[in-house]
Each structure stands twice: as C-alpha cells, then as structure tokens.
C-alpha cells in the first residue's frame, strides 16, 4: 500500500508537468543527517527549455540544480518518504500532499488549488554588466576577441574591471559630482590601464558627461602603449604621462584613483587628494611596510600575534584602518572592503572615500581616536600623519 500511495503521488506530479499545470513543490520535515532543511521545486526557463529548478535550502546556504522533468521526478523520488517526510505539490487543478508518519507510513491529502496560474522563472538574462565586452579597448588590451567575447583566460580580469566600474558607479551617485558638467580624473600608477580605459568609457559613453582623464605611470613603454590605444579608440580626452605621484600634482581634480600604489605611495595619493579637495578617492593599497617596522604589539596580545604572519596581517590592518580614520578626520565618508575575492587577486583590499559635509566635532573625535591607536601600538608615526597635517 505504501508503494501505491507514493506511486500515485509521483504519477500526479508527472501528469501536472505534462499538462502544464505544475506550479511548485515543497519537501519538508527533513530527517536526514545533513544540515538540509527543505527542497523547493519550481519551473525555470533555461536557454529556452522549461526545466525543474531544485533549491536545496541549508541552514547557511542555498544550492540550486536544474533538471529536465523526468530527471527531476527521479531525484524527488529518492527523497520523498526517506529523508523528507512531507511533500506538497501545488498545481492549478488542485494541491496534493503526501505525509509520512514516524514509522514511514504515508497518507494522501487532497486540497483545493492554492494557485490558478503557473510561473516560470526566466534565467536566460545575462547578468547586468557595467562594462560592455564589445568595447574596442578591451580587444586592444587583449581581454576580448574580435567578436567581443571575453577570452577564457581573461574572464577574471574582465570581472575585476566590471566590479571596479560598479563601485565607481555607486560612489559617483553618492557624491556631489552628479551635478557637474565636466569631470577631471587622475589615475596614479595606471599600469596596463585596463581600469583607466574603463573609467573613461563609463563616464563618457554611459554617464554621458564630458571627462578628462590622465593616467600617471612610471614605465615609459606602458605610457606609450596606452596613448596609442587611446588614440586608436578615439578617446580624445584620455592621455598618459610618465611619472610618479610626487611628479604630477594638480588642483581642481574631481576623482583620484591609486590602485596598488606600493607602500607609502598610497599615502602620497591620499595627501594629494585631500589637499586638492577631491570628491572621490579610490585606493587599493599593497605592500604596507611602513607601519610593520614602526609598531609594537601590546603585551596583552603577544600570545595571539607571536607568529610572524599574524603580526604582518595586523600591521596591514592597522595601516589601512589608520588611513581610513585619517580620511574621516578630513571630512570624508570611507569604506574598506574586499575588492575582488582572493582567488582572483591577492591584492584585494579597497579603500574608498567620498567627500562629506564638514563636522568639526566628529573630525576632532577621529583625530583623538588616531592618537589613541598610535599609543596602544607604540607607533611614533605612520607616515600619512607626517605629510598630511
């Protein structure tokens, strides 16, 4: 009898799938050994083929799998009455529930239809991108092929570029720059200029605002290559010059980016940004060595940071934390976060700052906080506090 009841339920499932009456199905009362709670089945359009999408709901995550109808029924068959003691099938012509007792004895419950329409989730839409893969500069920089398709070995780089522009988009809309008619941007340490080109393309072709960008790079061969690429892409107000942060300082700049500026070069970029009254600052620090040589772990923490690698990580966190506090003491709203996950790049910390309203009391409190941290870690100076008074 038990097999007949389950067979009836599965035949009903197959029937409503074939007759286009299936709405959804839920498995509950989990009795297995994993941290699984439920399985939810729904209709999903995958590349113009309607399939069953199974969502495995765990306590800490969701796992999604898609199956053709017959495979989905087979998968659900293995769960019903074994690790799940309840299955609720919702269809436009009526609902049906199969429940199992503790002794695995099933019963069927028929109910009126909860839903009168089916729903198919569309999964054919591509994830919204902030960077157009068909942009000419991406092909010229070796990220895409002539068809605008991202090369398999360059997808991580493309993802990084797209995420960077997504961050820039958020910062721009949060700032006062959205009311301006023209922007001036400097990218210190532009390197191969992937992000510099993406910045120009975003503001000129997506935001539709007149924009002038200068990339500053110490390697002349990269400067030459970037200028050539900009000319061929007809990016008229994008140019590159050879030099360092200290070589090229200007006022009346709206955005400054310094991505992977080594050690105190990041601090030089912060100093230049604050002194110029820049609205948006974007930093991706690396090689934070200055504080590593100039701090002492408090005695109460020696047991934790006695290992060199942990002490080094602590010094990096202190360095970037003090940088953010220093920016806040100058009236900026800051965020420190992971730019791209570590499997894509080891240099994954980003600091962003957007100029806010002056608040003397809050800024003074930040300066007091900085001095207390310096005392706690026996830091005489962290370089930025020497060059930015």
């Amino acid at each position: 009898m038990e097999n007949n009841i389950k067979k009836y339920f599965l035949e009903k499932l197959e029937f409503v799938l074939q007759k286009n009456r299936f709405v959804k199905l839920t498995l509950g009362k989990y009795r297995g050994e994993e941290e699984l709670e439920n399985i939810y089945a729904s209709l999903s359009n995958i590349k113009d083929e309607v399939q069953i999408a199974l969502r495995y709901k765990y306590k800490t995550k969701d796992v999604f799998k898609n199956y053709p109808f017959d495979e989905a029924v087979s998968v659900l068959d293995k769960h019903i009455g074994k690790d799940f003691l309840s299955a609720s099938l919702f269809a436009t012509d009526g609902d049906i529930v199969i429940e199992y007792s503790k002794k695995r004895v099933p019963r069927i419950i028929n109910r009126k239809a909860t839903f009168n329409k089916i729903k198919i989730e569309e999964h054919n839409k591509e994830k919204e991108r902030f960077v157009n893969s068909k942009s000419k500069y991406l092909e010229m920089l070796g990220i895409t092929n002539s068809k605008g398709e991202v090369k398999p070995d360059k997808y991580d780089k493309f993802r990084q570029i797209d995420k960077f522009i997504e961050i820039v988009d958020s910062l721009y809309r949060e700032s006062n720059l959205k009311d301006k008619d023209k922007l001036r941007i400097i990218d210190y340490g532009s390197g191969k200029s992937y992000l510099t080109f993406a910045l120009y393309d975003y503001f000129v072709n997506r935001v539709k605002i007149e924009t002038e960008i200068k990339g500053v790079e110490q390697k002349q061969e990269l400067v030459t290559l970037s200028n050539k690429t900009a000319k061929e892409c007809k990016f008229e107000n994008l140019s590159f010059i050879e030099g360092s942060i200290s070589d090229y300082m200007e006022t009346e700049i709206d955005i400054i980016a310094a991505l992977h500026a080594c050690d105190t070069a990041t601090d030089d970029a912060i100093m230049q940004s604050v002194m110029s009254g820049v609205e948006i600052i974007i930093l991706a620090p690396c090689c934070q060595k200055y504080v590593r040589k100039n701090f002492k772990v408090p005695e109460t923490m020696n047991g934790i940071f006695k290992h060199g690698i942990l002490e080094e990580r602590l010094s990096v966190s202190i360095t970037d934390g003090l940088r953010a506090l220093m920016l806040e003491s100058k009236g900026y709203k800051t965020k420190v976060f992971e730019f791209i996950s570590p499997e894509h790049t080891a240099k994954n910390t980003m600091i962003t700052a957007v100029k806010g309203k002056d608040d003397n009391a809050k800024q003074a409190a930040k300066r007091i906080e900085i001095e207390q941290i310096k005392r706690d870690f026996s830091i005489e100076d962290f370089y930025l506090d020497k060059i930015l008074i």
Side-chain angles (χ1 to χ4, degrees):
M1 179 178 177
E2 176 183 346
N3 289 336
N4 289 338
I5 291 177
K6 183 177 180 181
K7 182 180 178 182
Y8 170 77
F9 181 85
L10 293 174
E11 286 177 348
K12 177 68 174 178
L13 172 59
E14 290 175 336
F15 175 80
V16 297
L17 284 169
Q18 292 169 2
K19 297 298 181 179
N20 200 28
R21 298 174 185 173
F22 175 87
V23 179
K24 64 179 182 177
L25 182 145
T26 300
L27 300 190
K29 295 185 180 180
Y30 179 69
R31 296 296 183 269
E33 297 180 356
E34 299 182 61
E35 292 189 345
L36 186 60
E37 295 181 341
N38 298 94
I39 297 178
Y40 301 102
S42 59
L43 296 175
S44 179
N45 189 355
I46 309 293
K47 295 181 179 179
D48 298 323
E49 179 185 355
V50 178
Q51 297 187 1
I52 295 293
L54 296 184
R55 176 164 72 96
Y56 294 77
K57 184 180 183 301
Y58 292 84
K59 290 183 178 180
T60 58
K61 64 180 180 180
D62 286 355
V63 176
F64 296 86
K65 297 180 181 180
N66 299 305
Y67 297 98
F69 287 174
D70 56 345
E71 289 185 33
V73 172
S74 178
V75 170
L76 292 167
D77 181 17
K78 295 176 182 178
H79 288 293
I80 296 171
K82 295 172 184 175
D83 43 3
F84 285 94
L85 301 187
S86 172
S88 301
L89 171 62
F90 300 88
T92 56
D93 61 349
D95 303 342
I96 180 171
V97 178
I98 183 170
E99 288 186 344
Y100 287 80
S101 67
K102 292 180 180 179
K103 295 182 179 181
R104 298 299 195 273
V105 177
R107 66 172 181 147
I108 286 287
I109 304 170
N110 290 288
R111 295 172 178 163
K112 291 182 179 180
T114 305
F115 305 95
N116 56 20
K117 293 181 180 179
I118 67 170
K119 181 180 179 181
I120 302 176
E121 296 290 341
E122 293 289 341
H123 290 280
N124 292 327
K125 297 178 182 178
E126 292 186 6
K127 180 181 182 294
E128 181 186 358
R129 294 292 184 186
F130 287 81
V131 173
N132 183 356
S133 65
K134 298 186 184 300
S135 298
K136 185 177 180 179
Y137 72 90
L138 289 172
E139 180 188 353
M140 296 189 66
L141 294 175
I143 303 296
T144 60
N145 60 26
S146 58
K147 297 179 181 179
E149 300 167 336
V150 180
K151 295 179 179 178
D153 62 335
K154 295 296 183 181
Y155 182 75
D156 289 346
K157 175 58 68 175
F158 178 78
R159 180 173 176 269
Q160 183 189 54
I161 296 169
D162 188 70
K163 183 63 178 178
F164 175 70
I165 297 302
E166 181 181 349
I167 292 167
V168 170
D169 179 78
S170 176
L171 295 171
Y172 170 70
R173 299 187 187 287
E174 180 187 348
S175 73
N176 296 319
L177 296 180
K178 58 183 179 296
D179 299 321
K180 293 194 67 172
D181 298 323
K182 181 178 180 180
L183 297 180
R184 297 189 71 216
I185 301 172
I186 293 180
D187 182 7
Y188 286 123
S190 53
K192 294 182 179 179
S193 306
Y194 301 112
L195 303 182
T196 325
F197 277 90
L199 266 178
Y200 188 88
D201 186 46
Y202 166 76
F203 281 113
V204 173
N205 296 320
R206 181 164 178 152
V207 182
K208 306 293 184 183
I209 183 172
E210 184 181 350
T211 304
E212 178 187 343
I213 298 182
K214 288 187 179 179
V216 181
E217 170 55 44
Q218 296 188 50
K219 296 180 180 179
Q220 181 58 57
E221 62 272 22
L222 293 179
V223 171
T224 302
L225 178 61
S226 296
N227 278 322
K228 180 182 178 183
T229 303
K231 186 176 181 180
E232 292 189 28
C233 290
K234 297 182 180 179
F235 285 0
E236 297 177 358
N237 290 319
L238 174 61
S239 61
F240 298 85
I241 61 171
E242 182 183 4
S244 63
I245 295 171
S246 57
D247 296 330
Y248 189 83
M249 291 191 175
E250 277 195 22
T251 57
E252 298 182 8
I253 300 298
D254 299 299
I255 299 174
I256 282 183
L259 306 176
H260 307 319
C262 189
D263 199 18
T264 57
T266 294
D267 302 301
D268 292 331
I270 292 174
M271 185 270 290
Q272 162 70 349
S273 299
V274 174
M275 296 299 289
S276 300
V278 169
E279 287 286 337
I280 296 175
I281 306 168
I282 308 169
L283 310 163
C286 70
C287 309
Q288 299 93 324
K289 298 176 182 178
Y290 191 91
V291 170
R292 181 75 171 87
K293 302 172 184 177
N294 294 283
F295 90 117
K296 184 178 179 182
V297 176
E299 193 172 325
T300 55
M301 298 183 184
N302 281 339
I304 298 175
F305 295 104
K306 63 184 177 182
H307 305 286
I309 187 172
L310 296 180
E311 186 177 4
E312 183 175 350
R313 289 174 181 172
L314 175 62
S315 71
V316 169
S317 296
I318 292 172
T319 301
D320 291 337
L322 285 170
R323 285 166 171 165
L325 282 171
M326 197 71 174
L327 283 163
E328 289 167 13
S329 76
K330 299 298 181 180
Y332 285 84
K333 295 180 290 183
T334 68
K335 292 179 183 178
V336 182
F337 55 95
E338 186 178 75
F339 175 27
I340 290 291
S341 56
E343 65 262 28
H344 299 294
T345 173
K347 302 172 182 178
N348 62 319
T349 299
M350 177 167 279
I351 303 172
T352 62
V354 177
K355 196 173 184 181
K357 296 180 180 179
D358 287 331
D359 187 324
N360 293 333
K362 284 186 178 181
Q363 291 170 223
K366 296 298 179 182
R367 290 193 289 271
I368 292 172
E369 191 174 351
I370 290 169
E371 292 305 316
Q372 183 59 55
I373 293 169
K374 289 169 64 177
R375 287 193 293 272
D376 290 344
F377 290 94
S378 303
I379 299 172
E380 185 175 339
D381 73 85
F382 54 94
Y383 183 73
L384 182 57
D385 57 340
K386 288 199 307 181
I387 64 173
L388 183 60
I389 307 301

